Amino acid sequence: MVGGGGETQIDNGGGGGIQIQERRRLPLPDFLQSVNLKYVKLGYHYLMTHLLTLCLIPLIFISLIEASQMNPEDVHQLWVHLQYNLVSVITCSAVLVFGSTVYIMTRPRPIYLVDYSCYRPPEHLQVKYQQFMEHSRLTGDFDESSLEFQRKILERAGLGEETYLPEAMHSIPPKPSMAAAREEAEQVMFGALDSLFKNTGIKPKDIGVLVVNCSLFNPTPSLSAMIVNKYKLRGNIRSFNLGGMGCSAGVIAIDLARDMLQVHRNTYAVVVSTENITQNWYFGNKKSMLIPNCLFRMGCSAVLLSNKSVDKRRAKYKLVHVVRTHRGSDGKAFNCVYQEQDDAGKVGVSLSKDLMAIAGGALKTNITTLGPLVLPISEQLLFFSTLVMKKLFNDKVKPYIPDFKLAFDHFCIHAGGRAVIDELEKNLQLLPLHVEASRMTLHRFGNTSSSSIWYELAYIEARGRMRKGNRVWQIAFGSGFKCNSAVWEALRNVKQSPKGPWEDCVDRQKN
């Protein structure tokens, strides 16, 4: 989980009191001005793993040019020469066949995103600012300072008046229970999956791999088992349930599904990403643990992946890259998003005041690894040459800032809060259009955790902006601390799927 509270800053001062300041003291660092060389090397390592393929392409091209310039006499002389060098011909043929076989057997299979769906809760579960504050007051669990803190977070976090909370949180007093949490999980997961199966025509029995991620609610039987039971999935399905991995777990789940599809041929994988609100509402007065109450809302996404070549014709996207960064070895990063009990014994998730700086460090690592994979050669050469000059000759040389707008057409930045989106827009030098999907998702649906990047992609589709060949960069942050990226390429001009989350509100949201 990760969130940002707009302009609000938490200050755990020495006196034990927590104050709200109007300015952030620790914004996202200007990470593009301080690049660590070892992560650039890691990115170039990824590039070099495909060096053989890159070298073979120009050799084949040159050979074709030479062959096109040969006349019949040249062909006859070549045939006579080969007749007297039978051993060489057999050896070369054997090497060629062996090399082709190894390449075909070891090359990664393309992974296609056939379709996906995002759950949209019923209208009666919407929560307006006034309703949120009134219910918080009526619970009797929050003192005046905490109520005022929540009011300021709501005003500045970027959420609108139409976000959703589960049924149990609309009761006065709220009724969080295991049964209610299960009902919420079933509502969002089954709602997303029903839509996915209807839109794609895929039968549940055709699913070979199932990956479910939910950070804070992990009952027994698991959420993945709930889906298997509901849809009567086949007995040999490879099912996984990822817990405690925060808002970036959606990309982790995609990575796991991709690895499984590399092993198991001719099958489908479904990835379900959600978070559970019902049993994870904080009823205490510790300010750093109140922020998730104000930011997180109901949501779920279900994604259908395929390794079948026949699905390329109808698929929306092809998975190009997944780059994962984990900073858990650093103590501050590990503790910056932490589930714990407060002094009164009430459980909640605490967000550190260092969260933005730690997120910036994780993102710096991630993009310097991703850069060599996606940036044009011209950008890579400029970036690498200025970096070498800075390291070897003059420390005052300002490193070249790569223009990621040359590598990507669309950006899906995790809607963790307005501050997160603002800082990434500034540091990546993006245009307002590039972060529009993130802002609109935060405003309309709130922080839906790991599923937020799919609501953002659905917004881009609903706007009619996704064209064939466009590349999409999904960026997600999560506890641990992690920053993960997924890159997709559109295989056609993509339109929004029926019954999408933005179907009847995208124009109203923009205006």
Side-chain angles (χ1 to χ4, degrees):
M1 300 173 68
V2 64
E7 298 295 322
T8 304
Q9 171 66 45
I10 306 170
D11 185 5
N12 298 300
I18 303 177
Q19 300 178 349
I20 304 173
Q21 299 181 3
E22 295 298 322
R23 299 177 59 187
R24 297 186 299 272
R25 295 189 306 171
L26 294 172
L28 195 69
D30 194 0
F31 49 83
L32 290 176
Q33 298 293 337
S34 57
V35 180
N36 194 322
L37 184 59
K38 68 178 181 179
Y39 298 121
V40 178
K41 290 180 179 178
L42 181 58
Y44 278 93
H45 169 71
Y46 280 109
L47 186 65
M48 294 304 292
T49 57
H50 301 285
L51 184 61
L52 179 60
T53 303
L54 295 175
C55 291
L56 285 176
I57 292 175
L59 288 175
I60 294 172
F61 185 70
I62 293 172
S63 299
L64 290 175
I65 293 177
E66 290 293 331
S68 65
Q69 295 176 348
M70 295 178 66
N71 55 42
E73 180 63 27
D74 294 330
V75 175
H76 176 71
Q77 291 295 329
L78 179 61
W79 174 250
V80 172
H81 177 74
L82 292 176
Q83 285 181 318
Y84 291 98
N85 292 274
L86 187 58
V87 175
S88 300
V89 173
I90 294 175
T91 303
C92 292
S93 299
V95 171
L96 181 62
V97 171
F98 177 76
S100 301
T101 303
V102 171
Y103 173 74
I104 292 172
M105 295 297 293
T106 59
R107 69 186 178 119
R109 295 185 180 90
I111 305 300
Y112 303 110
L113 191 162
V114 179
D115 204 351
Y116 66 96
S117 63
C118 298
Y119 178 69
R120 179 171 166 177
E123 303 304 309
H124 74 273
L125 294 182
Q126 287 184 354
V127 54
K128 301 185 182 300
Y129 290 169
Q130 183 177 357
Q131 180 187 5
F132 181 95
M133 292 306 304
E134 184 63 20
H135 281 209
S136 295
R137 186 180 302 277
L138 291 175
T139 62
D141 293 297
F142 307 108
D143 57 30
E144 287 301 320
S145 175
S146 296
L147 291 170
E148 178 64 14
F149 180 84
Q150 292 180 78
R151 184 187 66 79
K152 289 188 176 182
I153 292 290
L154 283 174
E155 289 177 352
R156 301 168 183 175
L159 278 70
E161 298 270 12
E162 298 178 287
T163 59
Y164 304 92
L165 285 176
E167 195 76 53
M169 308 316 298
H170 285 267
S171 301
I172 301 176
K175 300 177 180 179
S177 66
M178 175 64 74
R182 284 184 179 275
E183 289 179 7
E184 180 194 347
E186 292 175 354
Q187 179 182 3
V188 299
M189 293 193 306
F190 298 165
L193 286 168
D194 287 345
S195 177
L196 182 67
F197 291 140
K198 182 179 180 180
N199 291 341
T200 60
I202 296 297
K203 298 178 181 178
K205 290 286 187 181
D206 294 332
I207 306 302
V209 178
L210 172 66
V211 184
V212 180
N213 69 269
C214 182
S215 187
L216 296 177
F217 181 59
N218 293 284
T220 299
S222 66
L223 299 179
S224 60
M226 290 166 60
I227 294 174
V228 172
N229 177 261
K230 164 70 175 180
Y231 295 98
K232 309 306 176 187
L233 303 185
R234 63 198 200 197
N236 64 345
I237 191 169
R238 279 77 176 177
S239 65
F240 302 87
N241 202 94
L242 306 181
M245 304 193 78
C247 298
S248 67
V251 177
I252 297 173
I254 291 292
D255 192 29
L256 175 58
R258 178 189 65 171
D259 290 345
M260 295 301 295
L261 289 176
Q262 294 298 326
V263 177
H264 303 283
R265 296 175 178 271
N266 200 38
T267 190
Y268 292 106
V270 168
V271 174
V272 179
S273 299
T274 188
E275 191 52 82
N276 195 278
I277 305 294
T278 298
Q279 279 201 314
N280 296 290
W281 201 260
Y282 175 61
F283 293 98
N285 290 291
K286 186 175 180 180
K287 302 296 192 297
S288 62
M289 300 171 78
L290 283 169
I291 297 176
N293 287 10
C294 302
L295 295 179
F296 285 88
R297 297 293 185 264
M298 287 180 72
C300 180
S301 64
V303 182
L304 178 65
L305 302 175
S306 172
N307 58 10
K308 301 181 180 182
S309 58
V310 296
D311 282 320
K312 182 179 180 179
R313 291 194 298 266
R314 67 165 180 158
K316 286 186 171 183
Y317 304 95
K318 175 183 176 181
L319 182 59
V320 183
H321 300 294
V322 175
V323 174
R324 294 167 54 182
T325 300
H326 203 307
R327 299 293 299 274
S329 60
D330 178 79
K332 280 190 175 182
F334 177 77
N335 290 292
C336 71
V337 181
Y338 203 86
Q339 187 179 26
E340 60 184 351
Q341 290 180 313
D342 64 11
D343 294 338
K346 296 181 178 180
V347 178
V349 176
S350 176
L351 303 183
S352 167
K353 62 182 180 180
D354 299 320
L355 177 59
M356 291 295 290
I358 291 167
L363 180 60
K364 180 180 73 173
T365 304
N366 191 267
I367 66 173
T368 49
T369 303
L370 180 66
L373 299 175
V374 298
L375 288 169
I377 295 297
S378 58
E379 288 293 296
Q380 294 190 45
L381 290 175
L382 285 169
F383 173 69
F384 187 71
S385 60
T386 53
L387 181 64
V388 171
M389 290 177 62
K390 177 180 176 66
K391 295 291 183 181
L392 300 181
F393 302 108
N394 187 353
D395 191 55
K396 294 182 179 180
V397 174
K398 191 175 183 180
Y400 177 73
I401 302 175
D403 186 358
F404 281 90
K405 297 188 293 295
L406 297 175
F408 303 108
D409 302 281
H410 307 284
F411 297 79
C412 296
I413 300 168
H414 168 56
R418 193 180 70 184
V420 175
I421 301 170
D422 287 347
E423 292 295 340
L424 283 175
E425 178 184 9
K426 173 185 174 183
N427 281 278
L428 289 177
Q429 299 180 350
L430 303 179
L431 301 175
L433 180 67
H434 294 134
V435 295
E436 181 181 308
S438 299
R439 294 192 190 282
M440 291 301 103
T441 296
L442 180 65
H443 181 267
R444 178 63 181 83
F445 295 98
N447 182 347
T448 60
S449 189
S450 56
S451 65
S452 68
I453 54 178
W454 297 105
Y455 286 86
E456 294 164 17
L457 187 57
Y459 178 88
I460 297 170
E461 294 177 2
R463 280 278 164 209
R465 295 171 181 168
M466 189 64 67
R467 318 306 295 175
K468 182 178 180 180
N470 283 179
R471 284 198 169 192
V472 186
W473 183 12
Q474 292 180 322
I475 314 170
F477 301 93
S479 57
F481 190 86
K482 300 178 287 291
C483 175
N484 299 320
S485 293
V487 180
W488 304 88
E489 181 179 343
L491 298 177
R492 53 185 169 90
N493 296 342
V494 182
K495 298 180 180 179
Q496 65 174 330
S497 301
K499 301 297 182 182
W502 301 94
E503 189 172 56
D504 61 351
C505 64
V506 64
D507 294 321
R508 176 165 52 85
Q509 289 297 314
K510 180 69 170 105
N511 295 331

